[in-house]
Amino acid sequence: MSIELTDITKTFGSFVALRNVSLTVPDGELVALLGPSGSGKTTLLRIIAGLEQPDPGSGSIRFHDEDVAGHRVGHRRVGFVFQHYALFRHMSVFENVAFGLRVRPRAARPSEHEIRTKVGSLLRLVQLDGLSDRQPHHLSGGQRQRVALARALAIEPRVLLLDEPFGALDAKVRQELRRWLRRLHDELNVSSVFVTHDQDEALEVADRVVVMNQGGVEQVGCPDEVFHRPRTEFVMSFLGNVNRFRGRAEVGRVSFANVAVEHDSALAGDASVFVRPQDVEIETTPNGAPGFKATVLRVHSAGPSVQVELLAESGETLLAELSHERCGALDLRRGGSVVVVPRRVKVFVDRREA
Amino acid sequence: MAAPTGPTPAATRSAVTEPAWIKWLLIAVSIGFLGAFLFVPLVSVFTEALRKGFGAYLDGVRDPSALAAITLTLVTAAIAVPLNLVFGVAAAWAIAKFRFPGRSVLVSLIDLPFAVSPVISGLVFVLLFGLQGWLGPWLSRHDISVVFAVPGIVLATLFVTFPFVARELIPLMQEQGTEEEQAALVLGAGGWQTFWRVTLPNVKWALLYGVILCNARAMGEFGAVSVVSGHIRGQTNTMPLHVEILYNEYNFVAAFAVASLLTLLALVTLGLKSLIEARSL
Amino acid sequence: MRMTGKQYSVLPGFGLTLGCALLYLSLIVLVPLSALFFKTATLTWTQFWSTVSSERVLASYQLTFGASLAAAAVNVVFGFVVAWTLVRYDFPGKRLIDALVDLPFALPTAVSGIALTAIYSANGWIGQYLEPLGIKTAFSPLGVAIALTFIGLPFVVRTVQPALADLELEAEEAAASLGATRGQTFRRVIVPSILPALVTGGSLAFARALGEYGSVVFISGNMPMKTEITSLLIMTKLEQYDYAGATAIAIVMLLASFVLLLLINGLQWWSGQRAREVV
């Protein structure tokens, strides 16, 4: 079931949460809404679910050509997984999952036997069979999340919506559940949208990432695209670590931090220059490639790679990331002088006021 | 923390407790105070009631006007408690799950009977329904008695007891938020289904608590009911009023006998209260 | 995020529940209360003033106010001690005593009235020891104060208990580690933290005592100019069918309660502010 949102605006009092947002989620895809707090991503999710209404007269919501804006929240057949699970605290796991089936109008309600079968298969799917009699407060966070998911899936939703599903969990549990969710999605193939502020999560799990900021969409694309080919400064700096410099762009080159590198910039003018820590090389002696001098401030080698803090000759501090072998070969010390060679830069020329 | 040079008696004691003698003194003072003010009055009700033996006690309780008073008390509670229950639930739903202008005024209004003397609570009904009151002439033309009759007693009781259920439910329902209800709605439940299956079970202990307090007050209210009652023996006397009549006639044993029934009710109320508190934790 | 208007509007039933609640509130509370105000409007100023400032009524204000204040003060002191022992110490019978603290809430006022009178009268359990000492409790202002103390007891205890339970033990440990004696810690750390709760509890007890009727009218003896409380005077006027007089006195009492209510709300807001500042 594809989702098509056109021109959605939502204000709360004087605060504009969403500003003319349009979005298409193709059938069967797992889409991440990624952004900082206040970007509007949760509001957008809740509007799809029907838990919020867009401002009157603004925009439309369609599930595969069917206009659902007029449909009440219970009639849209969406599954919603809340950030804090919202399990029914006084019901067992079984009753929680069965809830959506039990409240159907008499005519559409499955028999007790059918409910039992369905709930059983769902609990097996989320690997919680054997816990059907437990109460929510006797479950771990990860288990509760899976119950919430099973509950949402019980009504056979056309669309699955998840609001920061792993936000309240420990880092390790989060990682496991992330991968598990991806595998589940591949098996079920329900169109899914999840909200997160964790970019690792979005990039690892989603088919498509929607980067949002301050009520608008900055970029939509597959993870590779938004990470390596960011279209705005915000996307660049939000995803991954990045060093930011101020410089000047001319045709064919850009200068910053006492270095000028080749760059196919079509525009000229003052610009922000972004360099990722992994795209920076460190040499102890100049070797001809364009670079600038810097002093080593700190070497942090605990972890999968080495993080080196540097103070550029021109006064900016920056972060470089090296492999342990490379760092060992260079024998970097605090206070040492090195040459920094930027390998890949991304330039955003300041937009001139029209 | 720097370690002392050697264990001293003070250092072996925990840093945040008082010397033992202070502790036991405070406990003694507490028990003494509570004993004098709570325990002694409580026990005296029963000793006075049984002063002339169990037979006199039973006579006091089985007297026809006493039985009429008991009946009236039970009837009043049977009307007041369910009505206040419905009100309390409705008010709590509106206040706890929604935001709207005037919400805090509504909450303050619900606390009103606690701020008003019981005599004034009765007075307002006399001013409304009494012979010289607003509706007095209309009522007497149609031969309806409100004041100095059972309806007045019920109304005064309603006034005094309506906050109890609402006050228990509102903070709890507010704290519980609306996420579970939202989840139920997304899963396809209707409004009533959501309320019965999700909201109500989550507040059942607070609801019970409120009902018990409401009932205790409904049965025990004295001041407000005294004003509207007319004190007509056998007809418009509730148990507390009957106690007053007997006492003023110096019929102490009978007065304390009826009072003992009310005291037993109070003790049962306290017992249920503790049980509920233990269960809801 | 600021939200205005109906938040959570996805939940149904707003109109129905609010409507029900408002209807009930109007019928049971607002309409009767308005009868009071309309009656007041029919009083002339001289009528009003002569009633509320007559000697007998003035004497009742003095007694009611004085006895309520004394009772609230006693309850603040002893209520604090009780709350402290219940929160901090363990002793046999503690759970029973904790439950019993609510007795004045649960017991009908008429019952407490006659019980207290029986105990404190000249041949009562406690009265028999006090009479020879020249302390007259029943049928005196002291008796009124005793009854009001009984009534207000749970207010202070139940307000201070949660405040004490919420105290951070670490703050006391910090004071101790900085060299404070237990007494200093108590005066400088503990008491300021629970002072708002103490004052709130005391004010609630005071407010309740001002309007109390049932538990007092038996032990007081109701002697005009000496042991009459104000709420009794309202009753007396009503029995004489002097609706206007009763209304006048009621208005004075309501104004006093209103002022007190504002004070209490202000106190609770202030203590909430202080808690926020600490955090």
Side-chain angles (χ1 to χ4, degrees), chain C residues 9 20 66 112 137 139-140 165 179 189 208 218 237 239 261 273:
Chain C
S9 57
C20 263
S112 34
T137 44
F139 315 125
S140 75
V189 176
R208 174 71 194 262
F218 296 97
K237 297 265 177 212
E239 280 169 355
L261 201 71
Q273 286 291 84

Side-chain angles (χ1 to χ4, degrees), chain C residues 59-109:
Chain C
S60 80
Y61 294 155
Q62 213 180 354
L63 174 67
T64 308
F65 196 87
S68 303
L69 201 59
V74 168
N75 272 324
V76 164
V77 171
F78 285 93
F80 176 70
V81 172
V82 171
W84 180 270
T85 47
L86 285 177
V87 172
R88 293 275 169 132
Y89 305 143
D90 262 319
F91 50 91
K94 172 171 141 168
R95 293 229 345 237
L96 185 67
I97 291 186
D98 198 353
L100 268 185
V101 165
D102 281 326
L103 187 68
F105 269 155
L107 199 64
T109 50

